[in-house]
Every structure is written in structure tokens, then in C-alpha cells.
Amino acid sequence: MSHPGTTARFTLDPAFAVGGVNPRLYGSFVEHLGRCVYTGVYEPGHPMADADGLRQDVLELIRELGVTTVRYPGGNFVSGYRWEDSVGPREERPTRLDLAWKSTETNEFGLGEFMDLCAKTGMEPMMAVNLGTRGVEDALRLLEYCNHPGGTELSDRRGAHGAKEPYGIKMWCLGNEMDGTWQIGHKTAEEYGRLAAETARAMKLIDPELELVACGSSASSMPTFAAWEATVLEAAYDEVDHISLHAYYEEIDGDRASFLASAVDMEHFIESVVATCDHVRARLKATKRINLSFDEWNVWYQQRPNPHPVEDWQQAPRILEDVYTVTDAVVFGSLLIALLRHADRVTAASLAQLVNVIAPIMTEPGGLAWRQATFFPFAQASAHGRGRVLRVEVDSPTYPTTRFGDVPLLHATAVTDDETGAVTVFAVNRGQDTTLPLEIDLRGIEAHTVVEHLVLADTDPEARNTADQPNRVTPRAATGSTVAEGVLRAELEPMSWNMIRLTSQQG
Ligand code: AHR
């Protein structure tokens, strides 16, 4: 609703909730792409590398970021993935061409090393199978290698490779972006729907408890968007549990006002996919619901030229190494808010990606690891955005945008922890020049007090963290947020991401 005044308002009532936050909302993504793996998470010889070649400085940052799940090994890479090349003694692993990124893959880091990374960081693996150059049989072989306890050639091979216990990987992606013409083995919706259903059915013969993700569209702008989802789900509804969504945003032609409103598009995308899933559910007279795995999302400057010179077939080239500004971090925070606002149906999400490649963590080979500006909203949301998302209907002043018309200046969500009574508000002020006064009526929430109000904003909208200045952008405490007579009052700085934590005085 548009608002004539200058103050943004909403009401919080614990009786009105969207749904519980699935911890998998705070997932990320490691692809064999650029320097995500090599000199990212894995760099034997680095002073901080452990005996397995994993960089402990990076692992520490992953833990601090609060990543719950990790999608692997792609992305586009998975459509040419030969998993068997990546297991067993390192000296016997072949070097191959990676056609997706025109790079050379040494296979020095493979499945076992990935599982080691998961174990050391507490991340749940979310494995993708190759439905580009391969299909049902290979998916079954990989699943048997990973999850079967033993007594078969493939499960014993895993044991011989040092992993006696099965990996127990529960969540599996059935390929990647198969609607995209750039994808190796690209398919029509009919072809992919049938392959996804057949693969899923066979995988569930090995383990009916698996959770399977069918590929949705690679972007909502694809000409086949929504028809693709409907066709795929009509073919595979009973067999799959989630449909994937991918979305990347960037500032185009200096239109910052629209860029700051990117989450309007993301929320519309989510609601469109929910509607499509439920349309198929009605047509099939099905009872179960398909949930959404938003397994690639981020700010990504796809239109900018790569500042690093790269040749074809390099190993671990410097590609997609976006350096994020505080403005990007505010938009990024707003995308997180969009996911939380749909927590009833978005039950998994993967920030694409984790290290160096459009990532919250950057590294230099042999050097430092540091936090990008986008690190902070994610870490704060993962740490405090657990529990139940409350319904937030904002009544906010608006501002004009070219792409989305008039958009509320305030974008917000709130999460309550029913055990402690704590409430955390995440809020973005999209206004570039004006401070936004915020009033929250804490109806039904008794005796709360502000624990902290952290803000991410800067007088320089281009401020960013680099190897030379790794701590240029960091959150700081905002003052003046108070609760009086059941109303929280706060001031949101121009173009800012905010986390306001309230605690029950009785808690
Ligand atoms: O995350 C980078 C790439 O973006 C992924 O490999 C692909 O799935 C998407 O197009």
C-alpha cells in the first residue's frame, strides 16, 4: 500500500506467520569454475592449508558465514561431469577439458575432498547428477558409490578410497539449467521432464528417502519460463520434491533505483513458480506440494567485461570475480529478505557461489582470505534468521523506478524464535538519499527490548572490500532504536541493510 507520509510502518503479531525457516535456506554453492575450488577452498602449499589441502582461513570464514548446505559440483560444469575421474589416488586422476567454462580440470579436488570440506565446515552436501552428457545409469552409479553401505563394486570402491562409511547424501539435483541452449546436452521441456522422471524413479529405488530437485528455468526471462516448469512437473510430479529457481541481478545503465528494487522481481518470480507448481498439483489431483529450491541467486555483473586476461583451457582462471560494493550488499540483503518472506515454499536456497566466483569470500593464492560486503547480510541472517517468519505487510512511502513502477522504500521481514521469544527484523531502506523512519507495532509481542541494531551502509555507495582494504565495509551499531509502549522506532539510513534484534525481557 502506498503511503503519503515519510514514515514506514508495519505490525508484528506472532499469531500471523508465513512459516518456519528451513535451515537449508542458508545454503551456498561450490562449482568447479574459475578459482572457487582451486586457490579458493583448496590450495595445498598455502600457509593455512591443512594436511588435505583445504585452506583453514577459508573454512573459518565459511563457518562464520553460517552456510548450511552446499551444492556441488555445478552449475554448468555438472553437465560434462565425470565423477569417476575425481575419485581414487590423486596421481591416477586424469586431467580433462571442462567444456562448460573452457578450462582445464585436473581432478586434484574431487568427490572425496568435497565431502571432507563438508565434514570440516558442517555443511550438508547437495549433489548434482550429470543429465547433460550422461543419464539414468550414471546417476545410479554415482548414488551407489556415495550412499550404499558396501558389498557392491561401487560402494566397495568408495571404501577402498578411504570412505568406509556411506556419505548419506540426501538432497540431489537432477542436472542443471537444462532449458538453456548453452548447457551441454540442452533439452526441450518434454525431453528433460521424461529424463528427470526416469532418473528420479530409479534413484528412489535405491533410496526412497532422497529429496530430488528438478531443474526449473535458468531465469524467469527465458522464453519458455513457466511452460517449462509446468511440462517438467507434469512428467515428474510424483518423483521429485523441489523445483529449482535461478536469478542474478545487476545494475544496468546506471539505473540504481531499479537495481535497488531487484527483490520485486525475485518475489514475483517465486510467486509465479509457486502458482505453476500448484496449477500442476490441481491438474494432477495430487496432494503433495512441490517446494522451491532457489539454488542459484546473487548479484552478478554479467554484462561487465572480465578485468582479468584469460585464455581458453587455463586451469582455475580468474573469471566471475565480482567485487561487491556496499550498494550490491544492500540489494543482496533485500534478496535474502525476499527468500525469507516466502519461507513457506522456498525450503532450500544456494547463494551462488561460495568462494572467489561471485562470492562472499575472496582469496589470493598464497595470500589473504577476506569478506566481501555481501558476506555480512548472509552471516547475520543465518545467525539470527532462524525460527518462524512473521507476516509483514509494509505501509511505506514509495519511490519511482523505471523497471517496477512505484516501489516501497522499505523492504522487510521478521523472524521469531518461539523458544526464547526473540524477534529479529531485517530491513532495507531502498532510498538513496533519505533516512527512513520506521515504526513497528509489536502487537501480541510483550515486553521487548532492543538488543542491537546493526547497519550496513556507507557515505560512499561504491565502497568495497579488497585485498588491500579487507575491512573497508563492515556492519556497525546504529543508535536510537527504542521500544516504548509496544512500538519499535528506528531510523534506517539511506541505502542501508539493517538487522534489529529484540529480546523478551522475560526470556
Ligand atoms: O553460477 C554461475 C553459473 O550460472 C552456473 O554454472 C550456471 O548454472 C548459471 O548459469
Side-chain angles (χ1 to χ4, degrees):
M1 182 166 65
S2 85
H3 186 282
T6 55
T7 301
R9 297 185 173 83
F10 62 86
T11 298
L12 288 182
D13 187 328
F16 299 108
V18 174
V21 180
N22 190 315
R24 284 181 176 154
L25 207 69
Y26 302 113
S28 187
F29 178 23
V30 166
E31 176 167 3
H32 283 254
L33 194 184
R35 297 193 308 115
C36 187
V37 170
Y38 302 106
T39 73
V41 290
Y42 177 80
E43 189 180 346
H46 187 281
M48 295 295 286
D50 65 13
D52 302 306
L54 295 174
R55 280 183 62 159
Q56 293 177 81
D57 52 348
V58 175
L59 267 49
E60 193 47 47
L61 287 175
I62 293 172
R63 288 186 207 104
E64 183 184 323
L65 189 60
V67 180
T68 52
T69 65
V70 59
R71 185 166 171 251
Y72 178 84
N76 296 338
F77 174 83
V78 79
S79 295
Y81 182 45
R82 296 164 51 92
W83 64 270
E84 68 280 9
D85 289 347
S86 80
V87 297
R90 279 217 180 89
E91 58 286 2
E92 290 171 19
R93 297 186 196 170
T95 294
R96 303 267 185 210
L97 295 183
D98 160 23
L99 304 185
W101 299 104
K102 290 209 158 193
S103 306
T104 296
E105 174 56 57
T106 62
N107 284 303
E108 212 183 313
F109 182 99
L111 189 49
E113 290 74 22
F114 168 66
M115 293 307 299
D116 186 30
L117 170 70
C118 290
K120 287 175 177 160
T121 51
M123 296 187 288
E124 178 194 356
M126 180 175 169
M127 195 72 200
V129 299
N130 173 355
L131 295 188
T133 59
R134 293 187 164 180
V136 184
E137 185 181 356
D138 184 66
L140 295 177
R141 289 171 63 80
L142 175 57
L143 175 59
E144 185 178 326
Y145 178 91
C146 290
N147 282 8
H148 193 67
T152 66
E153 189 266 322
L154 286 166
S155 54
D156 288 346
R157 203 192 297 179
R158 183 199 64 241
H161 293 160
K164 297 277 179 243
E165 291 303 314
Y167 292 146
I169 302 172
K170 194 136 177 74
M171 207 160 170
W172 294 77
C173 304
L174 302 169
N176 176 68
E177 294 190 349
M178 300 307 298
D179 62 324
T181 48
W182 60 88
Q183 200 68 216
I184 305 167
H186 152 71
K187 292 180 175 39
T188 65
E190 288 76 13
E191 289 165 347
Y192 172 70
R194 177 154 184 194
L195 178 59
E198 286 170 353
T199 308
R201 217 171 287 132
M203 289 176 78
K204 285 194 173 176
L205 288 176
I206 294 182
D207 180 357
E209 301 300 315
L210 296 180
E211 290 184 48
L212 303 179
V213 186
C215 293
S217 298
S218 46
S220 61
S221 56
M222 293 296 283
T224 48
F225 171 58
W228 169 278
E229 280 76 0
T231 305
V232 168
L233 287 177
E234 292 237 357
Y237 199 93
D238 289 343
E239 284 78 22
V240 304
D241 307 279
H242 312 259
I243 187 102
S244 73
L245 292 81
H246 293 179
Y248 295 101
Y249 297 94
E250 64 186 307
E251 184 176 316
I252 297 171
D253 298 333
D255 183 3
R256 183 151 292 173
S258 295
F259 178 51
L260 285 161
S262 297
V264 172
D265 179 80
M266 194 192 218
E267 295 208 20
H268 179 65
F269 183 19
I270 292 170
E271 286 156 21
S272 303
V273 175
V274 168
T276 306
C277 291
D278 291 349
H279 167 78
V280 177
R281 177 176 183 253
R283 275 175 64 95
L284 298 180
K285 300 184 171 47
T287 48
K288 88 168 182 191
R289 281 190 200 281
I290 300 289
N291 284 323
L292 277 51
S293 170
F294 214 125
D295 50 38
E296 288 188 32
W297 68 270
N298 205 346
V299 172
W300 176 9
Y301 284 91
Q302 299 192 56
Q303 300 202 353
R304 280 187 194 159
N306 185 356
H308 306 286
V310 167
E311 286 171 13
D312 283 355
W313 315 121
Q314 247 176 265
Q315 202 228 326
R318 284 184 186 262
I319 51 178
L320 281 67
E321 298 201 6
D322 286 10
V323 179
Y324 293 117
T325 65
V326 67
T327 306
D328 297 325
V330 171
V331 172
F332 177 100
S334 186
L335 301 178
L336 266 171
I337 289 172
L339 295 173
L340 282 165
R341 287 173 61 85
H342 294 84
D344 54 334
R345 294 301 289 274
V346 182
T347 53
S350 303
L351 162 62
Q353 298 192 0
L354 185 55
V355 185
N356 288 329
V357 171
I358 46 173
I361 299 169
M362 296 299 286
T363 68
E364 272 303 314
L368 201 66
W370 67 97
R371 301 165 191 82
Q372 293 236 52
T374 52
F375 184 98
F376 304 105
F378 191 101
Q380 291 173 358
S382 179
H384 300 290
R386 308 284 184 118
R388 256 182 341 127
V389 178
L390 299 181
R391 283 212 173 275
V392 169
E393 298 293 340
V394 302
D395 177 13
S396 167
T398 60
Y399 74 109
T401 70
T402 314
R403 288 195 54 207
F404 308 110
D406 286 349
V407 170
L409 284 169
L410 176 70
H411 191 214
T413 188
V415 184
T416 180
D417 176 339
D418 287 327
E419 276 178 29
T420 63
V423 174
T424 303
V425 173
F426 300 106
V428 158
N429 175 6
R430 292 167 165 144
Q432 295 184 55
D433 308 309
T434 44
T435 296
L436 183 63
L438 171 65
E439 285 183 11
I440 308 175
D441 181 352
L442 301 172
R443 190 172 71 191
I445 301 175
E446 283 175 23
H448 269 68
T449 179
V450 177
V451 185
E452 64 176 351
H453 175 174
L454 293 177
V455 61
L456 193 67
D458 203 286
T459 47
D460 175 6
E462 302 302 318
R464 61 192 80 194
N465 293 340
T466 59
D468 294 335
Q469 277 194 299
N471 299 313
R472 169 66 184 80
V473 178
T474 51
R476 61 192 149 75
T479 52
S481 306
T482 55
V483 177
E485 293 170 3
V487 178
L488 166 71
R489 289 188 176 79
E491 300 267 297
L492 307 185
E493 291 180 29
M495 230 166 48
S496 62
W497 154 267
N498 302 266
M499 177 179 73
I500 307 172
R501 289 177 53 222
L502 306 172
T503 190
S504 162
Q505 283 159 345
Q506 294 145 350

